[in-house]
Amino acid sequence: YQCAYNDWHGVRTADVLVLLNHPAGFGSAAELGIAVALGIDVLLVGRGLRENIFFNLRDVHEIDEEDVVYAVGLLEHQRNHG
């Protein structure tokens, strides 16, 4: 229970979710659903590894692994200034 609660709480309180799409990441679909339901931007890394229909939503942004830090900063700037 505690692990599930911690995961849910972490997503619920996040400013942005960096979703590492990996075939062994069984909880990632739930994390994606929580973030989308709450209007939290999702930075998707590794789309080609496994597909999900919800990857096509407006708040899901596909990025390369090396661009994560830049993208988080850009989203933060947009929230604060625009």
Side-chain angles (χ1 to χ4, degrees):
Y1 167 82
Q2 192 61 48
C3 288
Y5 175 80
N6 290 345
D7 201 29
W8 169 80
H9 183 70
V11 174
R12 190 175 65 86
T13 60
D15 294 324
V16 62
L17 174 67
V18 177
L19 184 68
L20 305 176
N21 185 34
H22 189 274
F26 298 109
S28 61
E31 292 167 344
L32 173 64
I34 294 166
V36 167
L38 296 175
I40 297 170
D41 284 304
V42 177
L43 301 179
L44 173 63
V45 178
R47 179 177 185 148
L49 298 173
R50 181 177 56 183
E51 191 59 39
N52 184 316
I53 192 169
F54 297 105
F55 291 167
N56 298 304
L57 293 174
R58 183 177 48 104
D59 293 336
V60 179
H61 313 279
E62 184 178 355
I63 63 170
D64 292 325
E65 199 173 328
E66 54 273 356
D67 295 331
V68 170
V69 173
Y70 172 75
V72 170
L74 183 61
L75 286 170
E76 184 175 314
H77 179 76
Q78 286 176 343
R79 275 202 187 96
N80 294 332
H81 298 94

